[in-house]
Amino acid sequence: MVSSEYERRIAGRFVTFDQDGNGYIDREDFNVAAKALLAEFGTTARSDKGQALYAGAEAFWQGMAGIADRDGDQRITRDEFVNGAVKRLRDNPDRFAEIARPFLHAAIDVADQDGDGRATVADTARVLRILGVTEDLAGTVAAALDTDGDGKIGETEIVPAFARYCTVPE
Ligand code: CA
Ligand code: CA
Ligand code: CA
């Protein structure tokens, strides 16, 4: 018996990954996210940051597919997500962090305007909005990511937070 709260949270995570909303997660969702992030920050796909973001998106997709695409059709259905990804991510959050790290690192770089390797809370909120966090929540979530309180978000802050978000406790 699973709680409705658990189901609701899982559904939320699935929607986060299903960026184009067609009911399954596939490579295109990761490309959609990368493209939208680059557009938001006026960065071209050909630039170093753009190429790193697409490479990170591809690595993230490959890692997710390796964990969850049990029938190998290059799509992660909701069932595969719930019964594959979520359980295995919970068993091994560190592995998930490694899968997501190149994409998150590249996303921070795209949002990083002054080249210090971190993005401001406001720019991180823009990233979160693009990735599907609602307008009213994005600022609060971004501020909460700044665990060392320096007003900026770095990879060491966003990767563990994202892993925690995706590993839904039962
Ligand atoms: Ca999709
Ligand atoms: Ca599949
Ligand atoms: Ca910080």
Side-chain angles (χ1 to χ4, degrees), residues 79-140:
D79 178 62
E80 287 175 325
F81 185 76
V82 172
N83 295 308
V86 173
K87 284 198 173 74
R88 294 183 66 178
L89 296 178
R90 193 164 47 221
D91 291 345
N92 197 346
D94 290 344
R95 178 168 170 217
F96 180 72
E98 292 317 308
I99 288 169
R101 185 183 303 278
F103 177 75
L104 294 174
H105 179 102
I108 290 287
D109 274 353
V110 167
D112 168 20
Q113 316 271 356
D114 65 0
D116 69 350
R118 297 169 299 158
T120 63
V121 169
D123 285 332
T124 303
R126 289 166 71 191
V127 170
L128 296 174
R129 248 183 6 248
I130 294 293
L131 296 180
V133 177
T134 55
E135 181 82 38
D136 56 326
L137 271 181
T140 313

Short mmCIF file of all heavy atoms in Angstrom, two decimals, residues 79-140:
data_model
loop_
_atom_site.label_atom_id
_atom_site.label_comp_id
_atom_site.label_asym_id
_atom_site.label_seq_id
_atom_site.Cartn_x
_atom_site.Cartn_y
_atom_site.Cartn_z
N ASP A 79 5.55 3.77 -15.56
CA ASP A 79 5.75 2.53 -14.80
C ASP A 79 7.25 2.24 -14.62
O ASP A 79 7.70 1.86 -13.54
CB ASP A 79 5.06 1.36 -15.52
CG ASP A 79 5.29 0.06 -14.78
OD1 ASP A 79 4.86 -0.04 -13.62
OD2 ASP A 79 5.92 -0.85 -15.37
N GLU A 80 8.01 2.41 -15.69
CA GLU A 80 9.46 2.20 -15.59
C GLU A 80 10.08 3.19 -14.62
O GLU A 80 11.01 2.86 -13.88
CB GLU A 80 10.12 2.31 -16.97
CG GLU A 80 9.84 1.11 -17.86
CD GLU A 80 10.39 1.29 -19.26
OE1 GLU A 80 10.39 2.41 -19.79
OE2 GLU A 80 10.80 0.28 -19.85
N PHE A 81 9.55 4.41 -14.63
CA PHE A 81 10.08 5.44 -13.74
C PHE A 81 9.80 5.09 -12.28
O PHE A 81 10.70 5.12 -11.45
CB PHE A 81 9.44 6.79 -14.08
CG PHE A 81 9.99 7.95 -13.30
CD1 PHE A 81 11.22 8.50 -13.61
CD2 PHE A 81 9.26 8.49 -12.26
CE1 PHE A 81 11.73 9.57 -12.89
CE2 PHE A 81 9.77 9.57 -11.53
CZ PHE A 81 11.00 10.10 -11.85
N VAL A 82 8.56 4.71 -12.01
CA VAL A 82 8.17 4.44 -10.62
C VAL A 82 8.84 3.17 -10.10
O VAL A 82 9.37 3.14 -8.99
CB VAL A 82 6.63 4.32 -10.51
CG1 VAL A 82 6.22 3.85 -9.12
CG2 VAL A 82 5.99 5.66 -10.83
N ASN A 83 8.83 2.12 -10.92
CA ASN A 83 9.32 0.83 -10.44
C ASN A 83 10.80 0.60 -10.70
O ASN A 83 11.40 -0.31 -10.14
CB ASN A 83 8.49 -0.30 -11.06
CG ASN A 83 7.06 -0.24 -10.58
OD1 ASN A 83 6.80 -0.19 -9.38
ND2 ASN A 83 6.13 -0.20 -11.52
N GLY A 84 11.38 1.40 -11.59
CA GLY A 84 12.81 1.27 -11.85
C GLY A 84 13.59 2.42 -11.25
O GLY A 84 14.28 2.28 -10.24
N ALA A 85 13.42 3.59 -11.86
CA ALA A 85 14.24 4.74 -11.49
C ALA A 85 14.12 5.09 -10.02
O ALA A 85 15.12 5.18 -9.31
CB ALA A 85 13.87 5.94 -12.36
N VAL A 86 12.91 5.28 -9.55
CA VAL A 86 12.73 5.81 -8.20
C VAL A 86 13.31 4.86 -7.16
O VAL A 86 14.02 5.29 -6.25
CB VAL A 86 11.23 6.09 -7.93
CG1 VAL A 86 11.02 6.46 -6.47
CG2 VAL A 86 10.73 7.19 -8.84
N LYS A 87 13.05 3.55 -7.32
CA LYS A 87 13.56 2.58 -6.34
C LYS A 87 15.09 2.54 -6.37
O LYS A 87 15.75 2.53 -5.34
CB LYS A 87 12.99 1.20 -6.62
CG LYS A 87 11.54 1.07 -6.18
CD LYS A 87 11.14 -0.40 -6.07
CE LYS A 87 9.75 -0.54 -5.47
NZ LYS A 87 8.68 -0.15 -6.42
N ARG A 88 15.64 2.52 -7.59
CA ARG A 88 17.10 2.39 -7.68
C ARG A 88 17.80 3.68 -7.26
O ARG A 88 18.90 3.63 -6.72
CB ARG A 88 17.49 1.95 -9.09
CG ARG A 88 16.96 0.54 -9.36
CD ARG A 88 17.37 0.01 -10.69
NE ARG A 88 18.80 -0.19 -10.80
CZ ARG A 88 19.38 -0.69 -11.88
NH1 ARG A 88 18.64 -1.03 -12.92
NH2 ARG A 88 20.68 -0.86 -11.94
N LEU A 89 17.18 4.80 -7.53
CA LEU A 89 17.76 6.07 -7.09
C LEU A 89 17.78 6.15 -5.58
O LEU A 89 18.72 6.64 -4.96
CB LEU A 89 16.97 7.26 -7.64
CG LEU A 89 16.96 7.41 -9.16
CD1 LEU A 89 16.10 8.58 -9.57
CD2 LEU A 89 18.36 7.55 -9.69
N ARG A 90 16.71 5.62 -4.97
CA ARG A 90 16.63 5.64 -3.52
C ARG A 90 17.71 4.74 -2.91
O ARG A 90 18.31 5.06 -1.90
CB ARG A 90 15.24 5.20 -3.08
CG ARG A 90 14.96 5.48 -1.62
CD ARG A 90 13.48 5.38 -1.34
NE ARG A 90 12.91 4.19 -1.91
CZ ARG A 90 11.74 4.13 -2.52
NH1 ARG A 90 11.01 5.21 -2.63
NH2 ARG A 90 11.30 3.00 -3.00
N ASP A 91 17.94 3.59 -3.59
CA ASP A 91 18.96 2.67 -3.10
C ASP A 91 20.36 3.27 -3.23
O ASP A 91 21.26 2.92 -2.48
CB ASP A 91 18.92 1.35 -3.88
CG ASP A 91 17.66 0.56 -3.56
OD1 ASP A 91 17.01 0.90 -2.55
OD2 ASP A 91 17.33 -0.36 -4.32
N ASN A 92 20.53 4.13 -4.23
CA ASN A 92 21.88 4.62 -4.51
C ASN A 92 21.87 6.08 -4.97
O ASN A 92 22.14 6.38 -6.13
CB ASN A 92 22.52 3.73 -5.58
CG ASN A 92 24.02 3.91 -5.64
OD1 ASN A 92 24.56 4.87 -5.08
ND2 ASN A 92 24.70 3.02 -6.33
N PRO A 93 21.59 6.98 -4.03
CA PRO A 93 21.53 8.40 -4.40
C PRO A 93 22.85 8.94 -4.92
O PRO A 93 22.87 9.84 -5.75
CB PRO A 93 21.10 9.10 -3.11
CG PRO A 93 21.26 8.11 -2.02
CD PRO A 93 21.22 6.75 -2.63
N ASP A 94 23.97 8.39 -4.46
CA ASP A 94 25.27 8.87 -4.93
C ASP A 94 25.45 8.61 -6.42
O ASP A 94 25.99 9.43 -7.14
CB ASP A 94 26.41 8.19 -4.17
CG ASP A 94 26.48 8.66 -2.72
OD1 ASP A 94 25.86 9.70 -2.43
OD2 ASP A 94 27.13 8.00 -1.91
N ARG A 95 24.97 7.44 -6.84
CA ARG A 95 25.08 7.12 -8.26
C ARG A 95 24.25 8.10 -9.08
O ARG A 95 24.67 8.58 -10.13
CB ARG A 95 24.61 5.68 -8.51
CG ARG A 95 24.68 5.34 -9.98
CD ARG A 95 24.52 3.85 -10.22
NE ARG A 95 24.35 3.61 -11.65
CZ ARG A 95 23.55 2.70 -12.16
NH1 ARG A 95 22.86 1.91 -11.37
NH2 ARG A 95 23.46 2.54 -13.46
N PHE A 96 23.08 8.42 -8.57
CA PHE A 96 22.23 9.36 -9.29
C PHE A 96 22.90 10.73 -9.36
O PHE A 96 22.87 11.40 -10.40
CB PHE A 96 20.87 9.50 -8.61
CG PHE A 96 19.99 10.47 -9.34
CD1 PHE A 96 19.46 10.15 -10.56
CD2 PHE A 96 19.76 11.73 -8.82
CE1 PHE A 96 18.69 11.06 -11.27
CE2 PHE A 96 18.99 12.64 -9.52
CZ PHE A 96 18.45 12.31 -10.73
N ALA A 97 23.53 11.14 -8.28
CA ALA A 97 24.22 12.43 -8.28
C ALA A 97 25.28 12.46 -9.38
O ALA A 97 25.44 13.46 -10.07
CB ALA A 97 24.86 12.68 -6.91
N GLU A 98 25.99 11.33 -9.56
CA GLU A 98 27.03 11.29 -10.59
C GLU A 98 26.43 11.38 -11.99
O GLU A 98 27.00 11.99 -12.88
CB GLU A 98 27.88 10.02 -10.44
CG GLU A 98 28.74 10.02 -9.18
CD GLU A 98 29.41 11.37 -8.92
OE1 GLU A 98 30.06 11.91 -9.83
OE2 GLU A 98 29.25 11.91 -7.81
N ILE A 99 25.26 10.75 -12.17
CA ILE A 99 24.59 10.80 -13.47
C ILE A 99 24.15 12.22 -13.80
O ILE A 99 24.27 12.69 -14.93
CB ILE A 99 23.36 9.85 -13.46
CG1 ILE A 99 23.83 8.40 -13.50
CG2 ILE A 99 22.43 10.14 -14.63
CD1 ILE A 99 22.71 7.40 -13.22
N ALA A 100 23.66 12.93 -12.79
CA ALA A 100 23.12 14.26 -13.01
C ALA A 100 24.18 15.36 -13.00
O ALA A 100 23.96 16.44 -13.54
CB ALA A 100 22.07 14.56 -11.92
N ARG A 101 25.34 15.06 -12.41
CA ARG A 101 26.35 16.10 -12.17
C ARG A 101 26.78 16.88 -13.42
O ARG A 101 26.79 18.11 -13.39
CB ARG A 101 27.57 15.50 -11.47
CG ARG A 101 28.63 16.53 -11.07
CD ARG A 101 29.84 15.87 -10.43
NE ARG A 101 29.50 15.07 -9.28
CZ ARG A 101 29.32 15.55 -8.05
NH1 ARG A 101 29.46 16.84 -7.83
NH2 ARG A 101 29.02 14.76 -7.05
N PRO A 102 27.15 16.20 -14.54
CA PRO A 102 27.62 16.98 -15.70
C PRO A 102 26.57 17.96 -16.21
O PRO A 102 26.90 19.10 -16.59
CB PRO A 102 27.92 15.90 -16.75
CG PRO A 102 28.15 14.65 -15.97
CD PRO A 102 27.24 14.75 -14.78
N PHE A 103 25.30 17.55 -16.20
CA PHE A 103 24.23 18.44 -16.66
C PHE A 103 24.06 19.62 -15.71
O PHE A 103 23.98 20.78 -16.14
CB PHE A 103 22.91 17.67 -16.80
CG PHE A 103 21.76 18.55 -17.20
CD1 PHE A 103 21.63 19.01 -18.50
CD2 PHE A 103 20.80 18.93 -16.26
CE1 PHE A 103 20.57 19.83 -18.86
CE2 PHE A 103 19.74 19.75 -16.62
CZ PHE A 103 19.62 20.20 -17.93
N LEU A 104 24.03 19.34 -14.42
CA LEU A 104 23.83 20.40 -13.43
C LEU A 104 25.02 21.36 -13.42
O LEU A 104 24.85 22.57 -13.32
CB LEU A 104 23.59 19.80 -12.04
CG LEU A 104 22.28 19.00 -11.91
CD1 LEU A 104 22.22 18.32 -10.55
CD2 LEU A 104 21.07 19.91 -12.10
N HIS A 105 26.21 20.79 -13.53
CA HIS A 105 27.42 21.62 -13.60
C HIS A 105 27.32 22.57 -14.80
O HIS A 105 27.57 23.78 -14.69
CB HIS A 105 28.64 20.71 -13.73
CG HIS A 105 29.94 21.45 -13.84
ND1 HIS A 105 30.81 21.60 -12.78
CD2 HIS A 105 30.50 22.12 -14.87
CE1 HIS A 105 31.85 22.33 -13.16
NE2 HIS A 105 31.69 22.65 -14.43
N ALA A 106 26.94 22.02 -15.95
CA ALA A 106 26.84 22.83 -17.17
C ALA A 106 25.72 23.85 -17.06
O ALA A 106 25.85 24.98 -17.55
CB ALA A 106 26.62 21.92 -18.38
N ALA A 107 24.61 23.49 -16.40
CA ALA A 107 23.50 24.42 -16.24
C ALA A 107 23.90 25.60 -15.36
O ALA A 107 23.57 26.75 -15.65
CB ALA A 107 22.29 23.69 -15.62
N ILE A 108 24.65 25.32 -14.30
CA ILE A 108 25.17 26.40 -13.45
C ILE A 108 26.10 27.30 -14.26
O ILE A 108 26.04 28.54 -14.17
CB ILE A 108 25.92 25.81 -12.22
CG1 ILE A 108 24.94 25.16 -11.24
CG2 ILE A 108 26.74 26.89 -11.51
CD1 ILE A 108 24.09 26.13 -10.44
N ASP A 109 26.94 26.69 -15.09
CA ASP A 109 27.86 27.49 -15.93
C ASP A 109 27.10 28.41 -16.89
O ASP A 109 27.51 29.55 -17.11
CB ASP A 109 28.78 26.56 -16.73
CG ASP A 109 30.01 26.15 -15.93
OD1 ASP A 109 30.20 26.69 -14.82
OD2 ASP A 109 30.76 25.28 -16.41
N VAL A 110 26.00 27.89 -17.45
CA VAL A 110 25.20 28.71 -18.36
C VAL A 110 24.61 29.90 -17.62
O VAL A 110 24.56 31.02 -18.13
CB VAL A 110 24.08 27.86 -19.02
CG1 VAL A 110 23.05 28.74 -19.72
CG2 VAL A 110 24.70 26.87 -20.02
N ALA A 111 24.19 29.67 -16.38
CA ALA A 111 23.55 30.72 -15.58
C ALA A 111 24.56 31.63 -14.89
O ALA A 111 24.19 32.68 -14.37
CB ALA A 111 22.63 30.08 -14.53
N ASP A 112 25.82 31.22 -14.90
CA ASP A 112 26.88 31.97 -14.21
C ASP A 112 27.35 33.13 -15.08
O ASP A 112 28.02 32.94 -16.08
CB ASP A 112 28.04 30.99 -13.92
CG ASP A 112 29.31 31.71 -13.48
OD1 ASP A 112 29.21 32.87 -13.04
OD2 ASP A 112 30.39 31.11 -13.59
N GLN A 113 26.99 34.33 -14.68
CA GLN A 113 27.26 35.50 -15.54
C GLN A 113 28.68 36.04 -15.38
O GLN A 113 29.20 36.67 -16.29
CB GLN A 113 26.26 36.63 -15.22
CG GLN A 113 24.83 36.18 -15.04
CD GLN A 113 24.04 36.17 -16.35
OE1 GLN A 113 24.54 36.56 -17.39
NE2 GLN A 113 22.81 35.70 -16.30
N ASP A 114 29.31 35.83 -14.23
CA ASP A 114 30.63 36.45 -14.02
C ASP A 114 31.78 35.44 -14.01
O ASP A 114 32.93 35.79 -13.71
CB ASP A 114 30.64 37.29 -12.73
CG ASP A 114 30.46 36.44 -11.48
OD1 ASP A 114 30.32 35.20 -11.60
OD2 ASP A 114 30.46 37.01 -10.37
N GLY A 115 31.47 34.19 -14.36
CA GLY A 115 32.55 33.21 -14.57
C GLY A 115 33.24 32.71 -13.32
O GLY A 115 34.35 32.21 -13.39
N ASP A 116 32.57 32.81 -12.16
CA ASP A 116 33.20 32.29 -10.94
C ASP A 116 32.75 30.87 -10.62
O ASP A 116 33.07 30.33 -9.56
CB ASP A 116 32.95 33.23 -9.75
CG ASP A 116 31.49 33.23 -9.31
OD1 ASP A 116 30.65 32.67 -10.04
OD2 ASP A 116 31.20 33.79 -8.24
N GLY A 117 31.99 30.27 -11.54
CA GLY A 117 31.59 28.88 -11.36
C GLY A 117 30.34 28.70 -10.52
O GLY A 117 29.95 27.57 -10.21
N ARG A 118 29.73 29.83 -10.14
CA ARG A 118 28.50 29.77 -9.36
C ARG A 118 27.47 30.70 -9.97
O ARG A 118 27.84 31.67 -10.65
CB ARG A 118 28.76 30.17 -7.90
CG ARG A 118 29.73 29.24 -7.17
CD ARG A 118 30.16 29.84 -5.84
NE ARG A 118 30.85 31.11 -6.05
CZ ARG A 118 30.98 32.05 -5.12
NH1 ARG A 118 30.47 31.87 -3.92
NH2 ARG A 118 31.60 33.18 -5.39
N ALA A 119 26.20 30.43 -9.73
CA ALA A 119 25.13 31.28 -10.24
C ALA A 119 24.45 31.97 -9.06
O ALA A 119 24.32 31.39 -7.98
CB ALA A 119 24.11 30.45 -11.01
N THR A 120 24.00 33.21 -9.27
CA THR A 120 23.30 33.91 -8.19
C THR A 120 21.99 33.18 -7.89
O THR A 120 21.50 32.39 -8.70
CB THR A 120 22.96 35.36 -8.59
OG1 THR A 120 22.07 35.31 -9.71
CG2 THR A 120 24.21 36.14 -8.96
N VAL A 121 21.43 33.47 -6.72
CA VAL A 121 20.14 32.87 -6.35
C VAL A 121 19.09 33.23 -7.39
O VAL A 121 18.30 32.37 -7.82
CB VAL A 121 19.70 33.35 -4.94
CG1 VAL A 121 18.25 32.96 -4.65
CG2 VAL A 121 20.63 32.76 -3.87
N ALA A 122 19.09 34.49 -7.86
CA ALA A 122 18.10 34.91 -8.86
C ALA A 122 18.27 34.14 -10.18
O ALA A 122 17.28 33.70 -10.77
CB ALA A 122 18.22 36.41 -9.10
N ASP A 123 19.51 33.96 -10.61
CA ASP A 123 19.73 33.23 -11.86
C ASP A 123 19.44 31.74 -11.70
O ASP A 123 18.98 31.08 -12.63
CB ASP A 123 21.17 33.46 -12.36
CG ASP A 123 21.36 34.85 -12.95
OD1 ASP A 123 20.37 35.41 -13.45
OD2 ASP A 123 22.48 35.38 -12.91
N THR A 124 19.72 31.21 -10.51
CA THR A 124 19.38 29.81 -10.25
C THR A 124 17.87 29.62 -10.28
O THR A 124 17.37 28.61 -10.77
CB THR A 124 19.96 29.35 -8.90
OG1 THR A 124 21.37 29.56 -8.90
CG2 THR A 124 19.67 27.88 -8.63
N ALA A 125 17.13 30.62 -9.77
CA ALA A 125 15.67 30.57 -9.83
C ALA A 125 15.19 30.53 -11.28
O ALA A 125 14.22 29.83 -11.61
CB ALA A 125 15.06 31.77 -9.10
N ARG A 126 15.89 31.26 -12.17
CA ARG A 126 15.53 31.20 -13.60
C ARG A 126 15.74 29.79 -14.14
O ARG A 126 14.93 29.28 -14.91
CB ARG A 126 16.38 32.20 -14.39
CG ARG A 126 16.02 33.66 -14.14
CD ARG A 126 17.08 34.60 -14.65
NE ARG A 126 17.12 34.66 -16.13
CZ ARG A 126 18.11 35.25 -16.81
NH1 ARG A 126 19.11 35.82 -16.17
NH2 ARG A 126 18.08 35.27 -18.13
N VAL A 127 16.86 29.15 -13.76
CA VAL A 127 17.13 27.77 -14.19
C VAL A 127 16.00 26.85 -13.72
O VAL A 127 15.46 26.06 -14.49
CB VAL A 127 18.49 27.26 -13.62
CG1 VAL A 127 18.65 25.77 -13.87
CG2 VAL A 127 19.65 28.04 -14.24
N LEU A 128 15.64 26.98 -12.46
CA LEU A 128 14.61 26.11 -11.88
C LEU A 128 13.27 26.30 -12.58
O LEU A 128 12.53 25.35 -12.83
CB LEU A 128 14.46 26.37 -10.38
CG LEU A 128 15.70 26.04 -9.53
CD1 LEU A 128 15.48 26.47 -8.08
CD2 LEU A 128 16.02 24.55 -9.59
N ARG A 129 12.94 27.57 -12.90
CA ARG A 129 11.69 27.85 -13.61
C ARG A 129 11.67 27.18 -14.97
O ARG A 129 10.68 26.58 -15.36
CB ARG A 129 11.52 29.37 -13.77
CG ARG A 129 10.39 29.91 -12.95
CD ARG A 129 10.14 31.39 -13.12
NE ARG A 129 10.90 32.07 -14.13
CZ ARG A 129 11.84 32.99 -13.89
NH1 ARG A 129 12.14 33.28 -12.66
NH2 ARG A 129 12.46 33.58 -14.87
N ILE A 130 12.80 27.27 -15.67
CA ILE A 130 12.90 26.63 -16.99
C ILE A 130 12.72 25.12 -16.86
O ILE A 130 12.11 24.47 -17.70
CB ILE A 130 14.27 26.95 -17.64
CG1 ILE A 130 14.39 28.43 -17.95
CG2 ILE A 130 14.50 26.11 -18.89
CD1 ILE A 130 13.45 28.93 -19.00
N LEU A 131 13.24 24.55 -15.77
CA LEU A 131 13.16 23.10 -15.57
C LEU A 131 11.81 22.68 -14.99
O LEU A 131 11.60 21.50 -14.73
CB LEU A 131 14.30 22.62 -14.68
CG LEU A 131 15.71 22.82 -15.27
CD1 LEU A 131 16.76 22.30 -14.31
CD2 LEU A 131 15.84 22.14 -16.63
N GLY A 132 10.90 23.62 -14.78
CA GLY A 132 9.54 23.24 -14.42
C GLY A 132 9.10 23.56 -13.01
O GLY A 132 7.98 23.25 -12.62
N VAL A 133 9.99 24.18 -12.22
CA VAL A 133 9.56 24.61 -10.89
C VAL A 133 8.66 25.83 -11.06
O VAL A 133 8.95 26.72 -11.85
CB VAL A 133 10.78 24.96 -10.00
CG1 VAL A 133 10.34 25.47 -8.63
CG2 VAL A 133 11.70 23.77 -9.86
N THR A 134 7.55 25.87 -10.33
CA THR A 134 6.59 26.95 -10.55
C THR A 134 7.17 28.29 -10.13
O THR A 134 8.03 28.37 -9.25
CB THR A 134 5.28 26.70 -9.76
OG1 THR A 134 5.60 26.51 -8.38
CG2 THR A 134 4.55 25.49 -10.30
N GLU A 135 6.67 29.32 -10.78
CA GLU A 135 7.13 30.70 -10.59
C GLU A 135 7.19 31.09 -9.11
O GLU A 135 8.18 31.65 -8.64
CB GLU A 135 6.15 31.63 -11.34
CG GLU A 135 6.48 33.09 -11.27
CD GLU A 135 7.53 33.47 -12.30
OE1 GLU A 135 7.47 32.93 -13.43
OE2 GLU A 135 8.40 34.29 -11.98
N ASP A 136 6.15 30.75 -8.35
CA ASP A 136 6.08 31.18 -6.95
C ASP A 136 7.03 30.40 -6.05
O ASP A 136 7.38 30.86 -4.97
CB ASP A 136 4.63 31.09 -6.43
CG ASP A 136 4.04 29.71 -6.59
OD1 ASP A 136 4.37 29.03 -7.58
OD2 ASP A 136 3.26 29.30 -5.73
N LEU A 137 7.45 29.20 -6.51
CA LEU A 137 8.35 28.38 -5.69
C LEU A 137 9.82 28.58 -6.03
O LEU A 137 10.69 28.38 -5.18
CB LEU A 137 8.01 26.90 -5.89
CG LEU A 137 6.96 26.27 -4.99
CD1 LEU A 137 6.80 24.80 -5.34
CD2 LEU A 137 7.36 26.43 -3.52
N ALA A 138 10.11 28.96 -7.28
CA ALA A 138 11.49 28.92 -7.78
C ALA A 138 12.45 29.75 -6.91
O ALA A 138 13.55 29.29 -6.58
CB ALA A 138 11.54 29.40 -9.23
N GLY A 139 12.01 30.96 -6.51
CA GLY A 139 12.87 31.81 -5.71
C GLY A 139 13.19 31.21 -4.35
O GLY A 139 14.33 31.24 -3.89
N THR A 140 12.17 30.65 -3.73
CA THR A 140 12.35 30.03 -2.41
C THR A 140 13.27 28.82 -2.48
O THR A 140 14.16 28.64 -1.65
CB THR A 140 10.97 29.56 -1.87
OG1 THR A 140 10.03 30.61 -2.06
CG2 THR A 140 11.06 29.20 -0.41
#
